[in-house]
PDB file of all heavy atoms in Angstrom:
ATOM      1  N   HIS A 182      98.817 129.943 121.548  1.00  0.00           N
ATOM      2  CA  HIS A 182      99.931 129.381 122.320  1.00  0.00           C
ATOM      3  C   HIS A 182     101.053 130.335 122.467  1.00  0.00           C
ATOM      4  O   HIS A 182     101.452 131.034 121.531  1.00  0.00           O
ATOM      5  CB  HIS A 182     100.423 128.160 121.572  1.00  0.00           C
ATOM      6  CG  HIS A 182     101.779 127.718 122.056  1.00  0.00           C
ATOM      7  ND1 HIS A 182     102.914 127.817 121.324  1.00  0.00           N
ATOM      8  CD2 HIS A 182     102.222 127.237 123.306  1.00  0.00           C
ATOM      9  CE1 HIS A 182     104.031 127.399 122.049  1.00  0.00           C
ATOM     10  NE2 HIS A 182     103.564 127.079 123.270  1.00  0.00           N
ATOM     11  N   SER A 183     101.545 130.491 123.675  1.00  0.00           N
ATOM     12  CA  SER A 183     102.764 131.228 123.979  1.00  0.00           C
ATOM     13  C   SER A 183     103.663 130.375 124.825  1.00  0.00           C
ATOM     14  O   SER A 183     103.213 129.810 125.839  1.00  0.00           O
ATOM     15  CB  SER A 183     102.467 132.558 124.627  1.00  0.00           C
ATOM     16  OG  SER A 183     103.688 133.190 124.877  1.00  0.00           O
ATOM     17  N   MET A 184     104.888 130.385 124.514  1.00  0.00           N
ATOM     18  CA  MET A 184     105.926 129.660 125.367  1.00  0.00           C
ATOM     19  C   MET A 184     106.119 130.326 126.709  1.00  0.00           C
ATOM     20  O   MET A 184     106.600 129.703 127.622  1.00  0.00           O
ATOM     21  CB  MET A 184     107.321 129.570 124.639  1.00  0.00           C
ATOM     22  CG  MET A 184     107.279 128.964 123.311  1.00  0.00           C
ATOM     23  SD  MET A 184     108.953 128.921 122.606  1.00  0.00           S
ATOM     24  CE  MET A 184     109.159 130.585 121.969  1.00  0.00           C
ATOM     25  N   LEU A 185     105.805 131.648 126.782  1.00  0.00           N
ATOM     26  CA  LEU A 185     106.233 132.473 127.928  1.00  0.00           C
ATOM     27  C   LEU A 185     107.744 132.220 128.244  1.00  0.00           C
ATOM     28  O   LEU A 185     108.531 132.217 127.235  1.00  0.00           O
ATOM     29  CB  LEU A 185     105.428 132.189 129.102  1.00  0.00           C
ATOM     30  CG  LEU A 185     103.864 132.309 129.103  1.00  0.00           C
ATOM     31  CD1 LEU A 185     103.241 132.020 130.469  1.00  0.00           C
ATOM     32  CD2 LEU A 185     103.513 133.691 128.615  1.00  0.00           C
ATOM     33  N   ASP A 186     108.059 131.854 129.479  1.00  0.00           N
ATOM     34  CA  ASP A 186     109.440 131.640 129.745  1.00  0.00           C
ATOM     35  C   ASP A 186     109.687 130.111 130.033  1.00  0.00           C
ATOM     36  O   ASP A 186     110.598 129.742 130.741  1.00  0.00           O
ATOM     37  CB  ASP A 186     109.956 132.444 130.939  1.00  0.00           C
ATOM     38  CG  ASP A 186     108.983 132.241 132.131  1.00  0.00           C
ATOM     39  OD1 ASP A 186     107.902 131.686 131.938  1.00  0.00           O
ATOM     40  OD2 ASP A 186     109.330 132.703 133.233  1.00  0.00           O
ATOM     41  N   VAL A 187     108.791 129.260 129.503  1.00  0.00           N
ATOM     42  CA  VAL A 187     108.861 127.768 129.633  1.00  0.00           C
ATOM     43  C   VAL A 187     109.105 127.411 131.095  1.00  0.00           C
ATOM     44  O   VAL A 187     110.091 126.791 131.453  1.00  0.00           O
ATOM     45  CB  VAL A 187     110.015 127.213 128.711  1.00  0.00           C
ATOM     46  CG1 VAL A 187     109.801 125.626 128.664  1.00  0.00           C
ATOM     47  CG2 VAL A 187     109.870 127.765 127.350  1.00  0.00           C
ATOM     48  N   ASN A 188     108.157 127.866 131.896  1.00  0.00           N
ATOM     49  CA  ASN A 188     108.241 127.681 133.361  1.00  0.00           C
ATOM     50  C   ASN A 188     107.101 126.796 133.840  1.00  0.00           C
ATOM     51  O   ASN A 188     105.981 127.189 133.624  1.00  0.00           O
ATOM     52  CB  ASN A 188     108.286 129.088 134.016  1.00  0.00           C
ATOM     53  CG  ASN A 188     108.404 129.018 135.511  1.00  0.00           C
ATOM     54  OD1 ASN A 188     108.133 127.960 136.140  1.00  0.00           O
ATOM     55  ND2 ASN A 188     108.672 130.118 136.093  1.00  0.00           N
ATOM     56  N   PRO A 189     107.351 125.655 134.433  1.00  0.00           N
ATOM     57  CA  PRO A 189     106.273 124.819 134.825  1.00  0.00           C
ATOM     58  C   PRO A 189     105.335 125.507 135.836  1.00  0.00           C
ATOM     59  O   PRO A 189     104.189 125.022 135.979  1.00  0.00           O
ATOM     60  CB  PRO A 189     106.952 123.577 135.552  1.00  0.00           C
ATOM     61  CG  PRO A 189     108.425 123.758 135.399  1.00  0.00           C
ATOM     62  CD  PRO A 189     108.663 125.075 134.757  1.00  0.00           C
ATOM     63  N   GLU A 190     105.773 126.518 136.516  1.00  0.00           N
ATOM     64  CA  GLU A 190     104.895 127.275 137.447  1.00  0.00           C
ATOM     65  C   GLU A 190     103.835 128.076 136.640  1.00  0.00           C
ATOM     66  O   GLU A 190     102.825 128.501 137.251  1.00  0.00           O
ATOM     67  CB  GLU A 190     105.683 128.259 138.224  1.00  0.00           C
ATOM     68  CG  GLU A 190     106.820 127.698 139.114  1.00  0.00           C
ATOM     69  CD  GLU A 190     106.274 126.805 140.170  1.00  0.00           C
ATOM     70  OE1 GLU A 190     105.255 127.227 140.825  1.00  0.00           O
ATOM     71  OE2 GLU A 190     106.784 125.715 140.389  1.00  0.00           O
ATOM     72  N   ARG A 191     104.133 128.343 135.384  1.00  0.00           N
ATOM     73  CA  ARG A 191     103.205 129.103 134.561  1.00  0.00           C
ATOM     74  C   ARG A 191     102.850 128.312 133.281  1.00  0.00           C
ATOM     75  O   ARG A 191     102.962 128.790 132.213  1.00  0.00           O
ATOM     76  CB  ARG A 191     103.839 130.387 134.177  1.00  0.00           C
ATOM     77  CG  ARG A 191     103.814 131.472 135.266  1.00  0.00           C
ATOM     78  CD  ARG A 191     104.202 132.833 134.768  1.00  0.00           C
ATOM     79  NE  ARG A 191     105.634 132.880 134.419  1.00  0.00           N
ATOM     80  CZ  ARG A 191     106.533 133.156 135.247  1.00  0.00           C
ATOM     81  NH1 ARG A 191     106.322 133.499 136.464  1.00  0.00           N
ATOM     82  NH2 ARG A 191     107.844 133.217 134.879  1.00  0.00           N
ATOM     83  N   ARG A 192     102.488 127.072 133.512  1.00  0.00           N
ATOM     84  CA  ARG A 192     102.168 126.143 132.382  1.00  0.00           C
ATOM     85  C   ARG A 192     100.711 125.660 132.529  1.00  0.00           C
ATOM     86  O   ARG A 192     100.420 125.035 133.526  1.00  0.00           O
ATOM     87  CB  ARG A 192     103.191 125.043 132.399  1.00  0.00           C
ATOM     88  CG  ARG A 192     103.030 124.059 131.208  1.00  0.00           C
ATOM     89  CD  ARG A 192     104.239 123.074 131.111  1.00  0.00           C
ATOM     90  NE  ARG A 192     105.444 123.763 130.918  1.00  0.00           N
ATOM     91  CZ  ARG A 192     106.661 123.290 131.210  1.00  0.00           C
ATOM     92  NH1 ARG A 192     106.716 122.120 131.788  1.00  0.00           N
ATOM     93  NH2 ARG A 192     107.777 123.974 130.969  1.00  0.00           N
ATOM     94  N   TYR A 193      99.904 125.943 131.523  1.00  0.00           N
ATOM     95  CA  TYR A 193      98.540 125.386 131.523  1.00  0.00           C
ATOM     96  C   TYR A 193      98.130 125.119 130.098  1.00  0.00           C
ATOM     97  O   TYR A 193      98.494 125.843 129.166  1.00  0.00           O
ATOM     98  CB  TYR A 193      97.537 126.429 132.075  1.00  0.00           C
ATOM     99  CG  TYR A 193      97.761 126.804 133.522  1.00  0.00           C
ATOM    100  CD1 TYR A 193      98.464 127.973 133.902  1.00  0.00           C
ATOM    101  CD2 TYR A 193      97.228 126.030 134.496  1.00  0.00           C
ATOM    102  CE1 TYR A 193      98.677 128.267 135.198  1.00  0.00           C
ATOM    103  CE2 TYR A 193      97.446 126.379 135.899  1.00  0.00           C
ATOM    104  CZ  TYR A 193      98.109 127.535 136.148  1.00  0.00           C
ATOM    105  OH  TYR A 193      98.371 127.835 137.465  1.00  0.00           O
ATOM    106  N   ILE A 194      97.364 123.998 129.974  1.00  0.00           N
ATOM    107  CA  ILE A 194      96.744 123.749 128.701  1.00  0.00           C
ATOM    108  C   ILE A 194      95.276 123.648 128.926  1.00  0.00           C
ATOM    109  O   ILE A 194      94.818 122.696 129.596  1.00  0.00           O
ATOM    110  CB  ILE A 194      97.312 122.390 128.100  1.00  0.00           C
ATOM    111  CG1 ILE A 194      98.833 122.557 127.715  1.00  0.00           C
ATOM    112  CG2 ILE A 194      96.594 122.012 126.779  1.00  0.00           C
ATOM    113  CD1 ILE A 194      99.737 122.163 128.756  1.00  0.00           C
ATOM    114  N   CYS A 195      94.536 124.644 128.472  1.00  0.00           N
ATOM    115  CA  CYS A 195      93.047 124.768 128.806  1.00  0.00           C
ATOM    116  C   CYS A 195      92.270 124.578 127.483  1.00  0.00           C
ATOM    117  O   CYS A 195      92.589 125.165 126.499  1.00  0.00           O
ATOM    118  CB  CYS A 195      92.779 126.086 129.431  1.00  0.00           C
ATOM    119  SG  CYS A 195      93.232 126.106 131.167  1.00  0.00           S
ATOM    120  N   HIS A 196      91.271 123.817 127.635  1.00  0.00           N
ATOM    121  CA  HIS A 196      90.324 123.551 126.495  1.00  0.00           C
ATOM    122  C   HIS A 196      88.935 124.194 126.909  1.00  0.00           C
ATOM    123  O   HIS A 196      88.454 123.934 127.969  1.00  0.00           O
ATOM    124  CB  HIS A 196      90.168 122.056 126.337  1.00  0.00           C
ATOM    125  CG  HIS A 196      91.413 121.318 126.044  1.00  0.00           C
ATOM    126  ND1 HIS A 196      92.358 121.171 127.108  1.00  0.00           N
ATOM    127  CD2 HIS A 196      91.990 120.790 124.938  1.00  0.00           C
ATOM    128  CE1 HIS A 196      93.397 120.497 126.582  1.00  0.00           C
ATOM    129  NE2 HIS A 196      93.202 120.262 125.288  1.00  0.00           N
ATOM    130  N   PHE A 197      88.417 124.940 125.956  1.00  0.00           N
ATOM    131  CA  PHE A 197      87.058 125.540 126.152  1.00  0.00           C
ATOM    132  C   PHE A 197      86.153 124.904 125.062  1.00  0.00           C
ATOM    133  O   PHE A 197      86.011 125.570 123.968  1.00  0.00           O
ATOM    134  CB  PHE A 197      87.176 127.019 126.005  1.00  0.00           C
ATOM    135  CG  PHE A 197      88.228 127.651 126.965  1.00  0.00           C
ATOM    136  CD1 PHE A 197      89.542 127.759 126.609  1.00  0.00           C
ATOM    137  CD2 PHE A 197      87.800 128.174 128.128  1.00  0.00           C
ATOM    138  CE1 PHE A 197      90.456 128.339 127.423  1.00  0.00           C
ATOM    139  CE2 PHE A 197      88.749 128.696 129.055  1.00  0.00           C
ATOM    140  CZ  PHE A 197      90.055 128.863 128.690  1.00  0.00           C
ATOM    141  N   PRO A 198      85.585 123.723 125.340  1.00  0.00           N
ATOM    142  CA  PRO A 198      84.842 123.067 124.269  1.00  0.00           C
ATOM    143  C   PRO A 198      83.654 123.908 123.747  1.00  0.00           C
ATOM    144  O   PRO A 198      83.357 123.816 122.517  1.00  0.00           O
ATOM    145  CB  PRO A 198      84.379 121.794 124.910  1.00  0.00           C
ATOM    146  CG  PRO A 198      85.048 121.606 126.181  1.00  0.00           C
ATOM    147  CD  PRO A 198      85.664 122.969 126.568  1.00  0.00           C
ATOM    148  N   ASP A 199      83.029 124.645 124.651  1.00  0.00           N
ATOM    149  CA  ASP A 199      81.844 125.390 124.111  1.00  0.00           C
ATOM    150  C   ASP A 199      82.241 126.511 123.185  1.00  0.00           C
ATOM    151  O   ASP A 199      81.363 126.997 122.448  1.00  0.00           O
ATOM    152  CB  ASP A 199      81.088 125.933 125.349  1.00  0.00           C
ATOM    153  CG  ASP A 199      80.445 124.765 126.155  1.00  0.00           C
ATOM    154  OD1 ASP A 199      80.111 123.683 125.588  1.00  0.00           O
ATOM    155  OD2 ASP A 199      80.366 124.918 127.419  1.00  0.00           O
ATOM    156  N   ASP A 200      83.518 126.930 123.246  1.00  0.00           N
ATOM    157  CA  ASP A 200      83.930 128.048 122.285  1.00  0.00           C
ATOM    158  C   ASP A 200      84.858 127.402 121.201  1.00  0.00           C
ATOM    159  O   ASP A 200      85.452 128.278 120.498  1.00  0.00           O
ATOM    160  CB  ASP A 200      84.785 129.104 123.118  1.00  0.00           C
ATOM    161  CG  ASP A 200      83.931 129.634 124.260  1.00  0.00           C
ATOM    162  OD1 ASP A 200      82.690 129.672 124.132  1.00  0.00           O
ATOM    163  OD2 ASP A 200      84.554 130.145 125.192  1.00  0.00           O
TER     164      ASP A 200
END
Side-chain angles (χ1 to χ4, degrees):
H182 164 248
S183 174
M184 300 181 281
L185 301 184
D186 52 350
V187 192
N188 181 342
E190 301 294 316
R191 283 192 287 272
R192 182 171 297 157
Y193 294 99
I194 294 93
C195 283
H196 304 71
F197 304 87
D199 294 329
D200 303 335

